[in-house]
Structures are given as structure tokens and as C-alpha cells.
Amino acid sequence: MGYTITEKILKEHIVDGELKKGTEIGLRIDQTLTQDATGTMAYLEFEAMGVPRVKTEKSVAYIDHNTLQSGFENADDHRFIGSIAKKHGIYFSRPGNGICHQVHLERFGIPGKTLIGSDSHTPTGGGIGMFACGAGGLDVAVAMGGGAYYITCPEVVRVNLVGKLSDWVSAKDVILEVLRVLTVKGGVGRVIEYAGEGVKTLSVPERATITNMGAELGATTSIFPSDEVTREFLKAQGREDVWVEIKADEDAVYDHEITIDLSALRPLSACPHSPDNVKPVSELKGMKIDQVCIGSCTNSSYYDLMKVATILKGKTCHPDVSLSIAPGSKQVFNMLAQNGALADLISAGARILECACGPCIGMGQSPNSGGISLRTFNRNFEGRSGTADGQVYLVSPEVASVSALTGVFTDPHEVLGEMPKIEMPKEFLINDNMVVAPASEEEAKDVEILRGPNIKPFPVTAPLEQTIKAPAVLKVGDNITTDHIMPAGAKILPYRSNIPYLSQFCFGVCDNTFPQRALEAGKSIVVGGQNYGQGSSREHAALVPLYLGVKAVLVKSFARIHRQNLINAGILPLTFVHESDYDLIDQGDELELENVRDLIVEGKDIVVKNVTKNILIPVKSDLSGRAKDILLLGGLLNYTKETNK
Ligand code: MIC
Ligand code: SF4
């Protein structure tokens, strides 16, 4: 029996457990990346582990999220990350160099290697055949220290691509179609592997758009083969030497298979407020729009922005539309500047932003009240744009740019003629002058770590208690995102290293009385529905509840990264044995988990007593041996210190 790409890479990297689906496996991690919004905490955690130098093949710290400097906080954090990177053997990608995933794909990614990043869109690397996963900051810190990264050995879904994309249809439409079919929970516990004849018709940036947004499926990761197209891309990046061929065996066995006929796809859009709320653009056409934002780690490549420049050339964006464009990297920005495409964007009236995440994470360009915003990004969760009632539609760069001209939702097929062919460059413009190499081991001793006053200590974790008695301080519904639990945006993001300050905003989108009520209760339990914690990898969505006294989270089902973050923070994740029992708990009910510590140690059934209603509710923890130990010791930091003794 042959192997899938996933199995081939996992086989080479497994250091704990065995390749048995559904069981926990530990992987050796070759590369790590961090960004600044999660990085400050990740490096504080790395420091606390006391490892002098990273043990990975390559670790890179990017500055791309918190680039709005309206106070000292972000600038201080950048200096902190720069100094800690220098001291501990980490490459530092300076602000201005671009979005972590775009730059990593261009300059550092290697087919067949494992990568984890403290950002949920790390699977972008799957576009060149990397096994790349988003993870919490603590998991990344452990991997930098040479520790394994643990995942549930995934099922593998084969997405069979046939045919070829028609004019004005793009990679964004492919992943939107996959999201329409599989939904935001469809990837949980699975790797999405692309295969079939259609693969070779897609360039690396197109593949990376698809693997990037696999994060929205909740997938462990997404991956393409590494083939001649990959080789050409790496060659044009001056890195052909790192290319290796990776493909699935002919007789590889998959757990599921879906087929997507690229030729049959038409432009699509994800409507508010979920990436799987997908409709054909033909059904939305004519709707008046207020804003267009082009960029983000999903669609900000040279290839994407050349398409945009070609559409906008010689035209003016509609008087009622604000158009902003953020190139994905300095390389992209520079190439557009040198070939004149940047001038076409500027002439058309685009507001050019620095190459960073920008509006994607609410760092500026929030739409007007109730404003309709077309974005080439990957997430359209409620409130994420910074405008509570903003209506964000996710679309391809083609739909975004043509709609910016017409002022209404437009299907490019109907107004533009034949699609001009954009060639992939034979040589990208290579200049790594904004990547600072770490100090040598000798020099590292003298590197001073620069800390600002915004950096507050890591919240105190505690070993799992014998009995948890606490009220259900909050009850929420299905598909709660980490943006609901711990919102981002320009006003809050600068405090990512200040948990006490951040805590005031916890669950603000759902119920802004939660932080106060949780503090008053002292200890609390959060109750939720399906796919709880989807979206961002931010461990702050666990660390802040920890600070507010949350002891357990009881839901119908969890998203992968968030569940791990809860365990890492020492918060007990529980699921209902019968999903309908969700209805047996109301917000405010007093709950009790008697002898839960012993029951977990002994692997016995756990029951939640709803003291208010006098009902017993069976729940499960599904914890691996390692996860149990982490909880018993009060979180991953304590566990790592203990096991490294
Ligand atoms: C996001 O897209 O939500 C982010 C901001 O990049 C996050 C990371 C963070 O919250 O800092 C992610 O995707 O993990
Ligand atoms: Fe940045 Fe947006 Fe990508 Fe997150 S999704 S890494 S905020 S560009």
C-alpha cells in the first residue's frame, strides 16, 4: 500500500507515538515562525524555559501585525522581539519586510520540511509541499527549544482537481468552493491534500492561497505536491537547491475524496459573517459597495497584484468606493514599483498601505457604519474589521478590483473582455536586507534584551483541582471564534503582552459584562456549542480566560488549536457526551465536577452536576497521556520545566 504526501512527511518526522489515525503523535519540527501579535508572548515563554539557543534548522520572527504605532507599545514590542531573536539564534524579519506567510514562502520554506507558526495561516507553506501547522505560542516556544509538536494523527482528504480555471476565476474561488462543500468544521482532524491533473495548472501563489485558507476549514493543514511548478518558483527565488520532489504514491489510500472541476467554477464570495457562507457572485451582483481592500496573506502575491494592476490600469476607482492595497512583501512591493504597476495602482486612486496585515486584523481601514466591504482576505468574522456592523465579503482579487471600478458587486466575466495572461517571473527581485541574522553564540552573551513597560508577566497557572465547583458564567452558541473570545484590532492588539489589560475585552463581542462577572465569581466555567475556538491561533484566547478564573470549558466540539491552547494554559476542555445536553445548562447555573482530577488520572467517566437544576450530565475529556500530565502540572510551561529537569 502506498503513502499520501502527509504520511510520507509524518513518517520522516515522527518522534513519539505511531502513525495511527486518531492517536496523538509527536513531530520533530524543522522550522518555526512567529509574528509580533503572538510573538512577544511566545518569546517570553521561550525565555522562561531557559534554553539559550533555538534547536530548529531555522526560526524566523516576523513583524507584520502590530505595525500601527500610535503609542510606544508596538514599537517597544518590536524592539523586544528583535533583541531576543538576536540573542537566541532566530532570524528577524524587520517591519516593512512583509507578512510572515508570504515572506516565509518566498525566502525560507522548504518542501518536505515541518513548520509550525504562532499563526493559524502557517499552512500557507503547504503551497510548496511543507507540512506547516498553526499552533499556540507555547507550542512554538517548545519546538524552538527542540521539543516535539503534538497533533492528533490526521485523516487525509484527497481533493482531486480536474480541468483548468476559466478566465477571471481564481484560486480564491477554488478554496471558497472547498469551504462551501466542507464548511468551517469540515477539516477538523484532517489534512487536505490536493491532487489530480488540475494541480499542475496552478502556480505556487495560487496553491498558497488555497492552503492558506485551509485554516478556515479547521484543518490540521493543507498540502500540495512539490513538482516542477514548485521547482520553477524556488528557482526564480534563487533557491532551487532546496527543491525536492514530493508526491503521493499512485496507490495511496485516502480517508475521503472530493473532486473539484476547475473549469466549472465561477467567481464566488463568502458572505457575512463566515468564510463558509459562500454564494456565487452572480447572485450578489449589483449590490452597492463602500470599500475594497486587497492584500493579506491570502492574496497579496506579485501574481495577484499584477492582475489587480492590469484591471485598474488607466481607470479610476468609483467615487463612492475607498480602495486600499497592501502588498504582501517587500519583494512584491519592490517588483511592482520597478515594473511600473505600482504607478497604475496609484493612478487609479488606490490607497497604498505598507506591506503588512493591516485591515485584515483591524489595523486601520475599518469600514463605515454598516459599510459593505469586499476583501481578498480569509476571515469575515463579525466585528473583525473594527466596525461592529461592517459587512465583509471575501472575494478574489479579480472581483475586488473590478468592483472597485464599478462601485457595485461585479462579476468580471460580464464587464471585462479576455483575461490578460500574467506570467510568473523567471526571477524574483531578491534582497534579504531586511532580515537580520542572529548573533553568533559568542556574541549572543553580550546582547541585551530590550523590554518596554507594556510587557507584563505570564498569568499564573495552577494544577488541575480535585473538584471544580463554579458557575456557568457564560453560555455561547456554535462556531465561536477566537476573535469573539479575545478580539484583536488596532485598539487592543498593542496589549498582547499585557494580559490584565486585555482581559477587559474578553468575549466583548458576545457579552461585555463577562470580564466583570467572571472576576466577581472567582472561578467559572464557559459553556459553548460546536467548533468552539475556530479561527486565530492566539493563545490569548486561553490565557485571558485563565487570568479571569475560567477553570473549564464545556462545549459540543472544539477547534484543534484552541483546544490545545486551553490545555497548555491549564484549563480543562470538556465535551458533552450527548450534544443535546447543552440545553440542560443555562447561563448562571452552578456546576460541579466532583473528584475530576482523580477521574482524569484513572481514565474514568466524568459527570457534571448541574447543582441549580439537580441534573447529572455525562461529559468527556478525551485527553492523551501527555495532555493529562500537562493539566495535572498546571500547563505546558510547568510541564516542560518539569520534564526537562
Ligand atoms: C488572524 O488572522 O486572526 C491572526 C491575527 O493572524 C491570528 C494570530 C493572532 O491573533 O495574533 C491567527 O490567524 O492565528
Ligand atoms: Fe495577517 Fe490577516 Fe494573514 Fe492573519 S490572516 S496573518 S492578520 S494577513
Side-chain angles (χ1 to χ4, degrees):
M1 192 180 82
Y3 292 109
T4 61
I5 299 175
T6 305
E7 286 163 340
K8 287 186 181 182
I9 302 181
L10 293 182
K11 254 180 354 126
E12 282 205 0
H13 289 86
I14 190 159
V15 289
D16 196 3
E18 50 181 309
L19 279 188
K20 219 170 115 218
K21 284 175 191 147
T23 63
E24 193 175 54
I25 53 173
L27 301 176
R28 176 170 48 79
I29 296 302
D30 303 318
Q31 298 191 343
T32 64
L33 70 80
T34 56
Q35 40 92 335
D36 47 337
T38 51
T40 324
M41 196 51 83
Y43 292 114
L44 287 170
E45 290 155 351
F46 178 73
E47 232 185 350
M49 284 172 199
V51 179
R53 211 165 169 85
V54 290
K55 296 188 177 149
T56 44
E57 291 172 15
K58 180 136 285 165
S59 286
V60 190
Y62 293 91
I63 306 292
D64 53 1
H65 281 64
N66 287 346
T67 53
L68 214 62
Q69 291 165 224
S70 54
F72 64 91
E73 294 87 356
N74 290 342
D76 277 11
D77 284 1
H78 299 171
R79 273 160 44 103
F80 167 71
I81 295 175
S83 61
I84 206 151
K86 192 164 199 172
K87 194 170 183 75
H88 294 290
I90 300 148
Y91 287 78
F92 179 59
S93 172
R94 294 167 58 188
N97 200 40
I99 307 174
C100 54
H101 309 303
Q102 176 66 26
V103 178
H104 207 84
L105 191 78
E106 292 169 355
R107 306 303 309 143
F108 298 109
I110 300 180
K113 298 276 182 191
T114 51
L115 162 72
I116 65 166
S118 59
D119 192 282
S120 64
H121 290 103
T122 305
T124 312
I128 53 168
M130 295 193 90
F131 192 88
C133 300
L138 247 170
D139 285 315
V140 176
V142 168
M144 287 192 289
Y149 176 58
Y150 285 81
I151 57 169
T152 304
C153 186
E155 291 187 345
V156 184
V157 181
R158 180 179 200 264
V159 179
N160 185 29
L161 299 178
V162 298
K164 189 174 179 312
L165 291 173
S166 336
D167 277 5
W168 307 114
V169 181
S170 80
K172 182 62 146 254
D173 303 308
V174 179
I175 186 63
L176 289 177
E177 174 64 7
V178 179
L179 271 154
R180 192 186 66 75
V181 174
L182 293 179
T183 81
V184 290
K185 332 188 253 294
V188 177
R190 297 168 167 182
V191 171
I192 314 294
E193 216 176 280
Y194 290 85
E197 277 301 290
V199 164
K200 62 173 185 295
T201 69
L202 298 173
S203 64
V204 164
E206 291 176 302
R207 297 175 184 188
T209 294
I210 295 170
T211 56
N212 170 286
M213 258 190 103
E216 276 52 70
L217 297 163
T220 304
T221 189
S222 301
I223 194 161
F224 270 83
S226 168
D227 57 8
E228 279 308 312
V229 175
T230 323
R231 186 211 283 255
E232 283 306 310
F233 173 82
L234 289 169
K235 186 172 171 203
Q237 291 286 356
R239 305 200 293 121
E240 193 184 3
D241 55 320
V242 301
W243 179 78
V244 284
E245 184 180 40
I246 306 175
K247 58 177 183 188
D249 293 330
E250 291 288 329
D251 55 345
V253 180
Y254 297 85
D255 300 287
H256 308 272
E257 177 159 344
I258 57 173
T259 293
I260 295 206
D261 181 359
L262 299 174
S263 340
L265 287 179
R266 288 292 168 265
L268 297 170
S269 172
C271 304
H273 296 287
S274 180
D276 62 357
N277 186 14
V278 175
K279 293 205 174 106
V281 169
S282 58
E283 277 180 27
L284 302 162
K285 71 178 181 206
M287 184 196 292
K288 202 169 156 11
I289 63 168
D290 302 289
Q291 186 190 50
V292 170
C293 298
I294 297 176
S296 92
C297 54
T298 321
N299 279 115
S300 60
S301 64
Y302 172 82
Y303 183 73
D304 281 329
L305 296 195
M306 281 308 293
K307 287 194 284 191
V308 173
T310 312
I311 294 171
L312 296 182
K313 188 177 169 109
K315 312 214 171 79
T316 304
C317 75
H318 189 276
D320 297 340
V321 176
S322 163
L323 166 67
S324 66
I325 302 179
S329 68
K330 171 168 145 288
Q331 180 182 78
V332 173
F333 210 170
N334 225 338
M335 288 175 73
L336 297 177
Q338 295 202 359
N339 72 9
L342 181 60
D344 296 331
L345 301 178
I346 296 171
S347 301
R351 302 166 66 180
I352 308 293
L353 308 176
E354 67 175 310
C355 38
C357 301
C360 179
I361 193 55
M363 275 282 166
Q365 309 299 318
S366 301
N368 53 293
S369 305
I372 301 212
S373 179
L374 265 55
R375 301 179 162 210
T376 65
F377 306 167
N378 46 38
R379 289 185 174 144
N380 57 349
F381 304 145
E382 199 171 1
R384 180 172 161 107
S385 65
T387 300
D389 58 359
Q391 306 291 310
V392 176
Y393 291 78
L394 307 175
V395 295
S396 67
E398 290 86 334
V399 171
S401 32
V402 70
S403 304
L405 295 175
T406 59
V408 292
F409 231 117
T410 306
D411 183 339
H413 274 107
E414 294 178 6
V415 293
L416 302 172
E418 203 177 307
M419 190 177 74
K421 178 121 184 64
I422 308 292
E423 295 292 343
M424 281 292 287
K426 289 273 167 281
E427 270 175 46
F428 286 94
L429 198 136
I430 298 159
N431 181 353
D432 292 326
N433 62 340
M434 292 294 277
V435 178
V436 184
S440 67
E441 261 175 80
E442 194 43 45
E443 289 160 1
K445 296 189 194 86
D446 302 325
V447 175
E448 189 200 341
I449 308 247
L450 308 167
R451 276 170 232 276
N454 189 36
I455 297 183
K456 298 280 182 278
F458 188 80
V460 183
T461 55
L464 184 65
E465 292 172 21
Q466 181 61 275
T467 292
I468 300 175
K469 198 164 184 295
V473 168
L474 186 72
K475 184 176 178 188
V476 287
D478 289 343
N479 291 322
I480 288 296
T481 70
T482 43
D483 274 280
H484 288 103
I485 307 171
M486 198 51 253
K491 298 190 189 104
I492 310 179
L493 270 175
Y495 300 95
R496 278 291 181 87
S497 40
N498 186 342
I499 299 292
Y501 184 86
L502 274 187
S503 69
Q504 307 167 54
F505 305 96
C506 187
F507 277 111
V509 187
C510 308
D511 176 352
N512 59 17
T513 65
F514 170 74
Q516 192 54 36
R517 292 190 298 107
L519 282 177
E520 278 163 18
K523 289 180 189 175
S524 55
I525 295 176
V526 172
V527 178
Q530 283 179 353
N531 201 23
Y532 179 88
Q534 66 160 328
S536 158
S537 66
R538 60 191 73 147
E539 61 188 337
H540 304 77
L543 296 178
V544 169
L546 165 74
Y547 174 82
L548 291 172
V550 174
K551 297 290 168 198
V553 176
L554 171 57
V555 297
K556 292 183 184 171
S557 66
F558 282 103
R560 179 185 70 92
I561 304 175
H562 184 62
R563 180 173 181 275
Q564 191 58 50
N565 283 340
L566 288 173
I567 296 171
N568 291 353
I571 298 177
L572 179 62
L574 295 169
T575 51
F576 291 101
V577 172
H578 311 293
E579 287 197 358
S580 56
D581 287 353
Y582 168 86
D583 298 328
L584 300 178
I585 304 176
D586 287 318
Q587 185 164 306
D589 285 355
E590 198 60 46
L591 307 179
E592 185 172 338
L593 284 136
E594 205 182 351
N595 290 331
V596 67
R597 188 180 167 100
D598 284 351
L599 294 175
I600 283 183
V601 172
E602 293 156 18
K604 293 203 177 130
D605 294 346
I606 308 170
V607 173
V608 171
K609 179 169 186 195
N610 185 334
V611 181
T612 310
K613 296 195 163 61
N614 200 16
I615 315 174
L616 294 179
I617 303 168
V619 297
K620 31 182 197 177
S621 65
D622 289 328
L623 296 166
S624 67
R626 176 177 171 270
K628 281 182 192 173
D629 291 344
I630 294 175
L631 281 167
L632 298 179
L633 289 168
L636 183 58
L637 205 51
N638 291 358
Y639 172 88
T640 310
K641 283 187 198 152
E642 201 60 37
T643 45
N644 284 351
K645 266 184 191 162

